[in-house]
Every structure is written in structure tokens, then in C-alpha cells.
Amino acid sequence: MTYSGHAKAIAILGLPLIGGHLAQFAIGLTDTVMLGWYGVEELAAVTLAGSYFFVLFLLGAGFGWAVLPMVAAADAEDDETSIRRVTRMGLWLSLLFATFVVPAFWFSRPILLALGQEVEVANMAAQYLKLAGWGLYPALLVVVLKSYLAALERTQIVLWITIAAAFANGFANYALIFGNWGAPELGVTGAAIASIAAHMVSLAGVVIYALIVLPEHNLFQRFWRADWEMFAQVFRLGVPIGLTSLSEVTLFAGSAVMIGWLGAVPLAAHGIALQLASATFMIHLGLSNAATVRAANAYGRKDRAHLARGAMVVCFMSLGISVFGVVAFLVFPEALLSLFMEHDNPERATIMTIGVALLAVAALFQTVDGLQVVALGLLRGVQDTAVPMIYAALSYWAVGMPASYVLGFVFDLGGVGVWLGLVAGLACASVLLLARFWLYGIRKLPAPV
């Protein structure tokens, strides 16, 4: 396949995945925008709670993401039995993980207080998490089933289901946060209920589609029967993926905690800037998912030349997309930040000042953030996850987190210093993971004759 052929194939597969990730992002964005209208403390609380939730969610989502390369490789070999076995055990592991960690949501208040958060913000965040934590069950099951569908290149339906969930979340937020349409005014509790509603809409959509359109896989027939061999395989691949995601998300969660030490207003500005940075990251994440599917197909067929050419194309596509993020954050920061605040907000000027500085730093890490997640996608496609997990831990915990603390508090750069630490961690990960793929991952396949 030519380079242009690869670009076209990646775009066809990746655009619906990018759209799906942006629609998923819109759910969190809606929470941020509406709570920003509702109050600064409420926005700060859900920013903190969102970081807490996603630490646990992304750890458990490793099992769902393990399904993506395994099903794609099985599909390349026309092995429908393995497709069913992998997906079913991914569902099992996700349910078990959710059951194990749900108590952490119930006891979030003392944990947040121990991390040095303001009492009122911690109280509201814990109130949100006690309810939103139950959404972990449907959220993780959705990751497994979306991965199953994406691996089979059924990406259009993934997009439409996620859009439906985003609309459900938006309507529920508008009704329950503010008390519109005769609903009670519930503030952060309303946002938690809306989040659960969105996860349930997604779960219903993917289950119904799998049952009606792909009945030959019989995903839920004799669901209770154990398959310990495949359980172990998904577990071995999924745990490193989850821990890799945990490494990155704890870097960002740690940054939220550190900025929380500076007060509710800086934390609110951090939450807004992070939402904007996450929007561009979703595009790279969609490319990463497409890279996983394409790499896994090449891996299943033992086609190194196809893998190498596709990898080069997806890396250059990621670099091209980064340019747009850099321009947006440097040229239009005030306009972007204004989307999240009412004009009469008494803290508006302070939040804008902090937010503009944070977006300037976000422009710095656009390129490396995109490349590191694309490299992870390629490595997952060739089922190489253990060493990348170590690289991620070193980059985010040994480089990024200490750099954030030193620059933010020792050098007294505040929120900007914390975010510069993010740049250091992401840059380190980008270099290590790209080197891992090109020096080792691609050599897992035999050289072309």
C-alpha cells in the first residue's frame, strides 16, 4: 500500500473514532461549561472529582483497550471464536475491577482532604463521586464493547452511540444542575446523575447493536462460563495498558491536586485549560486507536513492511494536527476561555489571566503529547505493553511529577510551573515510546524478503 493509501485508510478508520472521542470529551466539557456557569467552587470540585474518577476509570479501562488489538489480530486471521472469547473475558475483568474499586468513591472525602484540598471543595467533590462512582460499571463495559466494534472496523456506530450519549448528558445536565424544565436544582449531584445517564445510554447502544448486527459472535450466550486461558491473556495485556494510562492520568491528577493547593480560582482555571488541551488530545487518541487496529492487522498477517509504512504515516498525521492546536492556543486563548465563564463572574479576570498562561504552556506540549499516545497505540497493536508501561511510569512519575512540584513551588512559578512539568514528562515519554516502537516493536515481525 502506498503512503497516500495508508493515509486514506487511517482517515476512514480514524475519523469516526476521533469523532467518538470528541463526543465523549463533550460529556466532560458540558459538565465543565455548565458548572462554570453555576459557580467557581462547583467547577473546582468537579474538576477535582473528575481527575479522581478518571484515575480509577483509566486503570480499569486497560482491559477494554486490550480487547482492541486482540480482536483486530483475531479478525485478521478470521478467528471468530477468539473474537468472542477475548471480548467476553474483557467484560468479565471490567466487572470485577469495578466491583473492587467502587468503595474508593465512597471514601473519597478523607482522601481528598489528606491531599491538601480545601474543605468545601473536597466536600462537594466527594458528594459528586459517591453517586458518579456507580457509573464506573457501565463506563468500563462500554470501553470493552466499543473496542470490540472498533477492532472490527465498525467505527461509525461507535461515533453515533457516543453522540447520543453526549446529548443525553447535556439535556440531563441542563435540567438537573440548574433546575430547568421543572426538575430539582441539584448542582454537582445533578451533574453526577447526568454522567451516569450518559454511560447507560452508551451501554444500551453498544449492547443492542452487537446483539442485532453481529449475532454470529454470541457475546452474551452462556456469559457466566469462565474461560480462564483467555481471561489470563486479556489480564496480562490489559494490566500494563491500564497502568500506563494510570501513569499519565496521575500526572494530570497530581497537577490538579498541586494547583488545588493554590486555591479554588487557580484550580478552576486549570480545569478550563485542561478541557481545551484535552479536546486536541482526543484527535490524537482517535489516531492512536486507528493505529492500534492497523498495526494489529499487520501483526496478525506478519507484514512488517505494511506496519512500518502505516506507522510513519500516522506519526506525520499526528504532527500535522498538532500545528492547529498550537495556533489556536496561542492566537485565540481569551475567546476559548470565555466559552466556560459568564461575563459577570466576579473571578473572571483572574481566571482569564491564569488560563491564558496555562494555554501558552499547553501549546508547548501539543506535539509530544500527540506523538506519545500514537506511539502507545502502535505498540499495543503489536501487543507490546510491559516495557512501555515502565517507560511511561519513569516519564510521568520520575520526570513529570517532580518537575511540576519543583517548578511550581520551589521556583514559585505557580500553575505555569506545574504545567511546565507536564511538558517535561510528556516529552520524555514521547522519545522513549517512539524509540521502543522503531527499535523493537517493529522487529517483532520478520523482515520482508
Side-chain angles (χ1 to χ4, degrees), residues 40-41 43-45 47 117-118 121 255-274 337 347 350-356 358 409 413-416 418-419:
V40 171
E41 282 196 336
L43 173 58
T47 296
Q117 302 305 297
E118 294 181 357
V121 172
S255 71
V257 170
M258 284 187 256
I259 291 178
W261 297 340
L262 302 172
V265 173
L267 184 57
H270 166 84
I272 294 171
L274 190 58
L337 293 164
E347 307 290 353
T350 306
I351 292 175
M352 289 289 286
T353 300
I354 298 170
V356 167
L358 295 182
F409 297 94
L413 295 177
V416 170
V418 172
W419 274 50

Side-chain angles (χ1 to χ4, degrees), residues 4 110 121 141 144 179 267 276 389 428 432:
S4 60
V121 172
L141 295 179
V144 175
L267 184 57
L276 291 167
M389 172 188 69
C428 181
L432 291 176

Side-chain angles (χ1 to χ4, degrees), residues 227-239:
D227 182 351
W228 298 118
E229 179 186 359
M230 190 58 72
F231 183 97
Q233 288 184 38
V234 177
F235 182 85
R236 283 195 298 268
L237 191 63
V239 168

Side-chain angles (χ1 to χ4, degrees), residues 295 298-305 307 382 440-448:
Y299 185 72
R301 296 193 309 270
K302 306 289 190 292
D303 188 344
R304 188 202 278 194
L307 174 63
V382 297
Y440 171 78
I442 204 163
R443 294 179 181 176
K444 292 185 73 176
L445 297 182

Side-chain angles (χ1 to χ4, degrees), residues 18 21-23 25-26 29 272-286 321 325 329 336 340 365-366 369:
I18 290 168
H21 284 302
L22 287 172
F25 162 76
L29 178 65
I272 294 171
L274 190 58
Q275 287 289 332
L276 291 167
S278 297
T280 57
F281 177 75
M282 291 300 122
I283 301 174
H284 297 290
L285 185 58
I321 289 163
F329 291 159
L336 294 170
F340 296 82
F365 67 65
Q366 288 300 296
D369 199 17

Side-chain angles (χ1 to χ4, degrees), residues 115-181:
L115 291 171
Q117 302 305 297
E118 294 181 357
V119 174
E120 187 59 33
V121 172
N123 286 341
M124 278 193 285
Q127 177 187 344
Y128 175 92
L129 288 167
K130 277 188 177 180
L131 189 55
W134 292 108
L136 191 64
Y137 281 101
L140 292 180
L141 295 179
V142 166
V143 173
V144 175
L145 293 172
K146 282 184 176 179
S147 295
Y148 155 75
L149 293 173
L152 300 175
E153 303 194 16
R154 305 261 180 171
T155 54
Q156 291 281 350
I157 189 62
V158 172
L159 169 61
W160 292 117
I161 288 170
T162 313
I163 289 174
F167 274 106
N169 180 73
F171 285 123
N173 264 327
Y174 186 72
L176 297 172
I177 291 175
F178 302 99
N180 291 315
W181 302 327

Side-chain angles (χ1 to χ4, degrees), residues 288-328:
S288 175
N289 294 154
T292 298
V293 174
R294 301 279 298 164
N297 282 334
Y299 185 72
R301 296 193 309 270
K302 306 289 190 292
D303 188 344
R304 188 202 278 194
H306 187 83
L307 174 63
R309 189 165 289 198
M312 191 174 297
V313 169
V314 78
C315 287
F316 276 104
M317 291 174 78
S318 176
L319 286 170
I321 289 163
S322 297
V323 173
F324 293 98
V326 171
V327 171

